[in-house]
Structure formats: C-alpha cells, structure tokens
Amino acid sequence: MSANYAITNISEKFKSRQRRRFREMLNIDVSTKFVDADAIFGLVVERDPMANVTFYDVKEVVKELREVHATVAGEDVGYEGDDSISLAAFVDCMSVPDLEEHVKTSLQAKTAIVRKAMMTTTVGEVIEDATRSSIQRDILRDTFKVAIWEAPLNAIVTLTVIASILFMGTSIDFYPDSI
C-alpha cells in the first residue's frame, strides 16, 4: 500500500482522536501545533527503557517523517524548527501501516521503535478513555445543579396530574353524560 493512499484515506475522526491522544501522551498544550523530538524521545524512553534509540536517532526520524509527509501528502505544513514536526503531519505518518517502508533504510528500525511507542495503547490509557465520559458527566452534573425548590415542585406537579386523572376518571364513572 502506498503511503499517499494511507495518508489520504485516514478518517478525520481517527485523526482527531489520535491528535488528542498524542497531545496527552506528549504533554502538549492544545494551542501547540508542533511536536519536538525531545518530547518524542522522552515518551519512547518512558515506554521502553531498553529501546536502542538515542535523542539523535529520534531527531533524524523526525526529519525523515517531515520529508516523507511533504513528499507523500504533497504539502508543506510549515515546520517550527529543525527537530520538530507538525502534530497533524506526525499523526498522518504514524497512522501509515507500512511507514517503515517509506523511510530511509538506515532509519527503518528507529522509525519502528518510535512508531511502536506512539501507537501502543497502555492499560492506563484504556482506563482513562473508559472513565472519561463518566468524569465529563460528573462535571456537567455539577455545572447544572438543580435548584433546591425544584424537587418539591416536581413532586407537587406530579401529585396534581395524578389527582386530576383520578378525578376525571371518577367523574366519567359517576356522570358519563356530563362530557
């Protein structure tokens, strides 16, 4: 499969989810559009302390990914510095199934290590993802607190509606011609 096909056929929903995930993993602020090699290297070492990769290797991988993305996607996304890549381009590259085939032979093993660190989901991430909706629900509940008078008023309205239905049914039973 060509990298161009893979990059252009990634769903926007997947890209958005991966951007959010990468931001959390790399501790990148929402306003930041670029990922630097230092953050990527820190994550690779954190995820796999025995990984045979140096900061210089990650820096070279980032440069290569920028070139692959510019060649494949045909767009220059404007890179901030020598050892950084735009988050969008990084997500695109990490999402290509056969990424290692599109980089220089000398960087294939290092690219595979970086890709494995970025694409592997930890148990903690799964738990955080699963509990995120309940946390957001709690935040919403706290945001829209019910007024103290609302519960008693709801009870009074409910009792009034039930009484009205009972009285209407009783009046139809005793005086059917009154309607």
Side-chain angles (χ1 to χ4, degrees):
M1 172 189 319
S2 76
N4 186 17
Y5 175 80
I7 286 177
T8 56
N9 288 319
I10 301 171
S11 76
E12 285 303 316
K13 184 176 180 180
F14 177 78
K15 286 181 184 182
S16 175
R17 193 175 331 129
Q18 286 298 87
R19 278 192 298 269
R20 185 186 74 219
R21 184 171 165 265
F22 285 7
R23 282 185 196 284
E24 290 173 3
M25 287 170 31
L26 298 167
N27 295 321
I28 300 173
D29 187 56
V30 176
S31 63
T32 305
K33 304 276 188 231
F34 295 90
V35 180
D36 64 350
D38 190 38
I40 298 169
F41 176 70
L43 182 73
V44 169
V45 170
E46 177 186 319
R47 294 257 171 126
D48 186 4
M50 303 304 287
N52 186 19
V53 67
T54 65
F55 174 71
Y56 178 77
D57 293 334
V58 173
K59 194 173 177 178
E60 290 301 309
V61 167
V62 168
K63 286 180 188 176
E64 184 67 14
L65 292 178
R66 288 191 329 221
E67 290 176 22
V68 167
H69 191 270
T71 303
V72 170
E75 59 186 38
D76 182 16
V77 287
Y79 303 107
E80 188 174 69
D82 188 39
D83 63 343
S84 64
I85 184 171
S86 82
L87 183 61
F90 190 61
V91 167
D92 286 350
C93 288
M94 289 293 112
S95 302
V96 173
D98 56 349
L99 174 65
E100 291 80 14
E101 295 175 13
H102 301 284
V103 297
K104 295 176 190 169
T105 308
S106 61
L107 291 173
Q108 286 180 346
K110 305 302 180 187
T111 303
I113 292 170
V114 170
R115 187 169 187 280
K116 179 182 177 199
M118 295 305 299
M119 298 307 284
T120 302
T121 305
T122 64
V123 174
E125 289 172 346
V126 171
I127 292 171
E128 186 177 322
D129 243 7
T131 59
R132 177 175 289 135
S133 63
S134 65
I135 292 170
Q136 289 173 345
R137 210 174 317 121
D138 292 343
I139 291 170
L140 282 175
R141 188 175 345 147
D142 292 343
T143 304
F144 300 107
K145 287 195 178 205
V146 177
I148 196 163
W149 53 267
E150 197 168 335
L153 181 63
N154 284 339
I156 291 170
V157 169
T158 302
L159 290 173
T160 304
V161 169
I162 291 172
S164 173
I165 292 171
L166 286 174
F167 289 134
M168 183 179 70
T170 305
S171 80
I172 290 175
D173 286 344
F174 288 110
Y175 303 105
D177 295 334
S178 65
I179 296 180

